[in-house]
Amino acid sequence: MDELEISPKDLQVLLLGEEPPLLLDCREPVEHGICRIEPSTLMPMNTIPENLAKLEALAEEREIVVYCHHGVRSLNTAAWLRRQGVERVRSLRGGIERWSVEIDPQVPRY
């Protein structure tokens, strides 16, 4: 897996497939309370290092797609995870904002 980012359209295809990725929301709980892409797991960016072993195990079973508001935190998170040896991880390009605009307008924008 070379690409570090995935487009909303490509993610939508994966989510509808036979082996959907794990969606990892690296935003803060208050942001997750406003809107989210379901089903997703909330794991704020500052808690990622302490959850590395858990994420390594999850990535062995399926791909992880990290998302945030605009795609900056998730890109940094995905890059950090790759440097730790977690290969099956990508970031949602443009974050939940772009997801709302291009895929699901029911997801509130903030």
Side-chain angles (χ1 to χ4, degrees), residues 30-54:
V30 68
E31 293 174 286
H32 187 79
I34 294 169
C35 62
R36 69 191 70 75
I37 303 169
E38 291 294 356
S40 65
T41 299
L42 176 64
M43 190 177 292
M45 186 179 181
N46 65 343
T47 69
I48 299 292
E50 67 195 51
N51 284 293
L52 179 58
K54 179 180 181 180

Side-chain angles (χ1 to χ4, degrees), residues 1 3-6 11 14-15 19-26 39-43 48 51-67 74-75 77-82 85-93:
M1 180 172 302
E3 286 283 323
L4 191 53
E5 290 184 293
I6 185 171
L11 175 59
L14 288 180
L15 289 172
E19 292 185 32
L22 168 71
L23 287 176
L24 188 68
D25 183 349
C26 72
S40 65
T41 299
L42 176 64
M43 190 177 292
I48 299 292
N51 284 293
L52 179 58
K54 179 180 181 180
L55 292 169
E56 287 172 328
L58 289 169
E60 288 179 14
E61 296 176 19
R62 60 184 175 157
E63 180 181 3
I64 297 172
V65 175
V66 187
Y67 74 90
S74 59
L75 183 58
T77 298
W80 185 84
L81 286 167
R82 288 265 184 105
V86 181
E87 293 296 322
R88 296 178 68 192
V89 62
R90 289 192 274 180
S91 171
L92 177 59
R93 185 179 294 117

Side-chain angles (χ1 to χ4, degrees), residues 84-104:
Q84 308 314 304
V86 181
E87 293 296 322
R88 296 178 68 192
V89 62
R90 289 192 274 180
S91 171
L92 177 59
R93 185 179 294 117
I96 197 168
E97 175 74 13
R98 187 168 164 192
W99 178 268
S100 177
V101 170
E102 294 181 12
I103 305 298
D104 186 358

